[in-house]
Amino acid sequence: MGTSSGSNINNQPISKMLPPRQQQQPGSLQTSLSLASSDPHMLPNAQEPRFNSDNIHESPTESASSRETWPTADAVTAKKLVNGKTENDSTEQPVIRRLSSADKITLRDIVRERVDVISEKMHRLPDEFLDELKNQLKTILEGNGGSQSREEFLILQKFVQSRSDLTAKTLIRAHRAQLEILVAINMGIQAFLHPNISLSQTSLIEVFVYKRCRNIACQNQLPADDCACKICASRNGFCNLCMCVICNKFDFEVNTCRWIGCDFCSHWTHTDCAIRDGQICMGPAKSGAGLTEMVFLCRACNRTSELLGWVKDVFQHCAPAWDREALMRELDFVSRIFRGSDDPRGKKLFLKCEDLLEKMRGGLAESTACRSKLIFFQELDMESSTSLENGEGLVAPQEACNRIADVVQEAIRKMEMVADEKLRMFKKARLALDACERELEDKAKEVAELKPERQKKKVQIEELEKIVRLKHAEADMFQLKANEAKQEAERLQSIALAKSDKSEEEYTSSYLKLRLSEAEAEKKYLFEKIKLQESSRASQSQSSNGGEPSQMTYSKIRELLHGYNVPSKADSQPNERHSFRTNP
């Protein structure tokens, strides 16, 4: 089947059964991230985003082929890397920046508001806040919150898918984190939020508008290989290199019977999806007229491919590398494929698979079961050769010519496939180069747009520096004048104090002289008055009291004269000077 067909493997040695969607190509992105729950199909009741509803068929719950998973070892490695990074980051002390409520944005703001408005806000937000937004969306996509998370995701996706302004032209102005969030919501895949996966701005926009495969490990331009079939033309975002024709999902399983590829158009289908939709059934065998065998009917091109040779090639090249669980899973796939087979070889293969499964459940070693299976295929080939030798397989000359022509056509077809593959790789490389050139042009435009703004900012900074220098000079000048004024004030104050002290001394001296002269005059007046009184009353005093009252009066007057004090400066202000009364 496809690259797994028997004829293809016989013509070229294959060390690993990789379907075309998993072939390592130049420039392909290598990741180790688990996408087990990243697709919206992993959420119950969630539909593949923006696919035509008529062409969508959900795989059954028990179908392992309907899940999008990453190899287990790579997932463990990624988990260790993320844990290691978390432990290292925990030792660093983050710089906490307080945000106002007006600056903060939510996931609903991102899916509702205009691209340029949100982009401008996100450029002002710290990286820690943007990482927190991504972690919130990761939690919703993982579905840890149950039905509430699923409802919130469907609301966000509905907002995104209902907006007509989200085009390649408008998204070019989006912030990087804003674009990653929009793509993750639209596709329902949290891998676009992972820090270790960094796609270019152009690639993210192409994924959003369904011009590039949403599979991180594929990333082919759509439609892949310029396929013009009705499925690739009618389904938005469908990639025939990595997605199932029936359920539209992708995973990362290789070297397995889980995927069936068409020998003609190279489209791929999950085995579970093909069994469920009746794409695996009995059909005409290529080995002889009138014979039937189990075939795969491709929905893309409506042609059939044989299955027994494909199963044999897968087991011969891949079974030795499978572990016990993988071998039992592959035997179960083959058993379900050939369960309804009517041809003898298909029945034998079905019974052999059932027998080996029963024995392995009873404890048979996987190496023994693998060896038994390979011996069984050899016995089938020997039986076919024996039947030909016994003449059971003789055909008419015309049929032999037809078979030879079929072989030649098959060889030509394979050569054309190789040429197409080379051309596809060349086109992909050319597209990658064009994308890089476009991105360089975009960056050059951004630089050109930022250059005038940078020059303007530089001029503004220089003007501000001039103003600051001028203000500093003015401040220095005013400080100098203030110092001079302070010194002059101190000088004037000292002069004023000196003059005040001198004037006070002069005033005190003149005042004391004046009071002294007044006191002398009053003393002289009192003495004269005393003498006059003594002389006028001398006779009266001597006659009545013998002179004692005159002596007493005289003593009182002397006490008054001796008790007289010169007033202080506070009491001797010009407006408060004492005046002595004199008898007329």
Side-chain angles (χ1 to χ4, degrees):
M1 305 297 300
T3 59
S4 302
S5 63
S7 56
N8 189 18
I9 292 178
N10 293 334
N11 289 336
Q12 48 184 333
I14 296 179
S15 59
K16 220 174 185 183
M17 290 288 294
L18 295 175
R21 69 187 190 285
Q22 298 295 340
Q23 295 290 352
Q24 301 299 323
Q25 299 171 358
S28 62
L29 177 65
Q30 300 299 319
T31 66
S32 59
L33 177 68
S34 174
L35 298 181
S37 61
S38 61
D39 195 271
H41 293 290
M42 295 304 298
L43 301 174
N45 303 325
Q47 298 295 326
E48 184 75 17
R50 289 199 185 180
F51 278 136
N52 296 337
S53 58
D54 296 339
N55 297 325
I56 296 178
H57 299 278
E58 295 292 340
S59 298
T61 305
E62 67 274 6
S63 171
S65 301
S66 64
R67 295 193 301 270
E68 297 185 5
T69 58
W70 203 278
T72 306
D74 291 343
V76 173
T77 304
K79 186 175 181 181
K80 289 181 178 178
L81 290 174
V82 174
N83 291 339
K85 183 177 179 182
T86 304
E87 292 174 359
N88 293 334
D89 292 345
S90 64
T91 60
E92 299 178 0
Q93 296 297 329
V95 179
I96 299 176
R97 175 182 171 187
R98 296 185 179 274
L99 297 175
S100 64
S101 58
D103 293 333
K104 293 181 180 180
I105 59 175
T106 62
L107 292 175
R108 294 204 178 190
D109 293 334
I110 294 175
V111 300
R112 283 176 174 174
E113 297 187 18
R114 285 169 42 195
V115 174
D116 53 346
V117 174
I118 295 296
S119 177
E120 184 178 353
K121 289 183 179 180
M122 295 184 82
H123 275 98
R124 297 195 299 264
L125 293 173
D127 293 338
E128 293 80 3
F129 184 82
L130 300 181
D131 292 338
E132 181 63 26
L133 277 177
K134 292 182 182 179
N135 290 332
Q136 291 177 13
L137 182 55
K138 285 181 184 177
T139 303
I140 294 174
L141 291 174
E142 288 171 357
N144 295 333
S147 59
Q148 184 177 0
S149 295
R150 292 194 294 273
E151 290 175 1
E152 180 66 17
F153 167 72
L154 292 177
I155 291 172
L156 295 174
Q157 193 178 61
K158 182 179 179 181
F159 275 122
V160 172
Q161 296 179 357
S162 62
R163 292 180 59 178
S164 59
D165 62 318
L166 297 180
T167 62
K169 188 175 181 180
T170 58
L171 290 174
I172 196 69
R173 298 194 297 270
H175 187 276
R176 170 79 187 192
Q178 177 188 9
L179 186 57
E180 290 175 349
I181 290 173
L182 288 175
V183 173
I185 293 174
N186 192 28
M187 299 300 158
I189 301 176
Q190 63 170 318
F192 295 104
L193 305 173
H194 198 277
N196 291 344
I197 296 180
S198 179
L199 300 179
S200 66
Q201 189 98 347
T202 304
S203 297
L204 288 172
I205 294 173
E206 289 177 347
V207 171
F208 187 87
V209 297
Y210 304 110
K211 297 299 182 183
R212 184 180 293 274
C213 179
R214 69 181 185 276
N215 184 352
I216 298 294
C218 180
Q219 285 291 294
N220 276 284
Q221 291 282 343
L222 299 180
D225 291 340
D226 297 326
C227 181
C229 73
K230 61 180 181 180
I231 292 179
C232 293
S234 61
R235 296 183 187 176
N236 285 333
F238 179 77
C239 176
N240 58 33
L241 299 180
C242 67
M243 297 182 187
C244 175
V245 173
I246 296 176
C247 70
N248 302 309
K249 299 178 184 178
F250 64 87
D251 59 38
F252 307 95
E253 292 290 333
V254 294
N255 307 334
T256 178
C257 296
R258 183 176 178 176
W259 286 90
I260 302 176
C262 178
D263 288 338
F264 299 95
C265 66
S266 297
H267 284 53
W268 292 85
T269 306
H270 282 127
T271 300
D272 284 339
C273 297
I275 294 173
R276 185 196 65 214
D277 280 20
Q279 303 299 116
I280 295 177
C281 57
M282 295 298 296
K286 296 181 180 179
S287 58
L291 300 179
T292 59
E293 62 180 351
M294 292 299 291
V295 296
F296 165 67
L297 176 61
C298 178
R299 178 174 289 185
C301 64
N302 292 323
R303 288 187 280 188
T304 59
S305 305
E306 61 91 20
L307 291 172
L308 195 144
W310 162 69
V311 171
K312 180 188 70 173
D313 294 335
V314 172
F315 270 82
Q316 285 179 345
H317 290 85
C318 306
W322 290 337
D323 57 15
R324 183 180 186 83
E325 182 180 354
L327 180 58
M328 294 182 68
R329 185 174 63 250
E330 297 300 324
L331 288 173
D332 181 65
F333 276 126
V334 177
S335 174
R336 286 192 284 131
I337 289 173
F338 290 92
R339 188 180 301 276
S341 177
D342 292 335
D343 67 295
R345 300 176 70 197
K347 288 182 178 179
K348 289 181 180 180
L349 180 57
F350 166 72
L351 294 174
K352 184 65 176 178
C353 291
E354 289 292 319
D355 181 57
L356 288 177
L357 281 172
E358 189 66 27
K359 290 181 178 179
M360 289 186 72
R361 293 189 188 102
L364 181 66
E366 60 268 20
S367 58
T368 305
C370 179
R371 187 164 52 252
S372 174
K373 190 69 175 178
L374 295 178
I375 293 173
F376 170 77
F377 283 122
Q378 293 177 1
E379 292 175 352
L380 280 183
D381 292 339
M382 291 176 62
E383 289 179 3
S384 299
S385 301
T386 303
S387 63
L388 288 175
E389 290 176 359
N390 295 334
E392 297 177 2
L394 294 178
V395 294
Q398 183 63 36
E399 186 176 351
C401 292
N402 292 338
R403 291 186 183 181
I404 294 173
D406 291 340
V407 172
V408 173
Q409 289 179 359
E410 180 71 13
I412 294 173
R413 187 183 65 81
K414 290 179 179 179
M415 292 174 65
E416 292 175 350
M417 288 178 60
V418 172
D420 292 341
E421 179 68 15
K422 296 294 183 182
L423 181 61
R424 185 184 66 81
M425 293 176 64
F426 172 76
K427 287 182 178 179
K428 183 175 180 180
R430 183 63 186 176
L431 290 173
L433 179 61
D434 293 340
C436 291
E437 290 179 351
R438 286 196 300 271
E439 189 171 357
L440 288 175
E441 291 176 358
D442 295 339
K443 295 297 182 183
K445 290 179 181 178
E446 291 179 5
V447 171
E449 292 174 357
L450 291 175
K451 189 175 290 185
E453 186 176 355
R454 181 183 178 187
Q455 189 67 25
K456 183 179 178 181
K457 294 292 184 183
K458 186 176 180 181
V459 172
Q460 292 177 353
I461 291 172
E462 290 176 354
E463 291 178 354
L464 290 175
E465 289 178 348
K466 290 180 181 178
I467 294 173
V468 170
R469 288 196 298 269
L470 179 61
K471 295 299 181 182
H472 276 300
E474 290 180 355
D476 294 338
M477 181 184 67
F478 287 129
Q479 184 65 36
L480 180 61
K481 289 184 178 181
N483 293 336
E484 292 176 353
K486 184 178 180 181
Q487 293 175 359
E488 183 68 16
E490 291 175 352
R491 187 178 67 82
L492 292 175
Q493 187 177 7
S494 63
I495 293 173
L497 289 174
K499 288 184 177 181
S500 177
D501 293 342
K502 186 176 179 181
S503 62
E504 185 176 356
E505 290 176 359
E506 291 176 353
Y507 171 77
T508 304
S509 177
S510 61
Y511 180 76
L512 290 176
K513 287 179 182 180
L514 179 62
R515 294 300 299 273
L516 183 60
S517 62
E518 290 179 353
E520 289 291 339
E522 190 169 356
K523 181 180 179 181
K524 185 177 179 181
Y525 168 76
L526 290 174
F527 271 111
E528 289 177 355
K529 187 177 180 181
I530 291 170
K531 287 179 179 181
L532 179 61
Q533 289 177 355
E534 286 178 355
S535 62
S536 62
R537 297 177 184 177
S539 58
Q540 296 177 2
S541 300
Q542 290 177 359
S543 60
S544 61
N545 297 323
E548 291 179 359
S550 302
Q551 185 67 28
M552 187 181 297
T553 303
Y554 178 76
S555 299
K556 290 181 179 179
I557 293 171
R558 286 181 64 87
E559 288 177 1
L560 288 173
L561 291 175
H562 285 293
Y564 176 79
N565 291 323
V566 179
S568 63
K569 179 184 176 183
D571 298 328
S572 61
Q573 297 298 328
N575 57 349
E576 297 178 2
R577 293 178 181 175
H578 297 280
S579 61
F580 295 95
R581 292 179 301 167
T582 57
N583 292 328

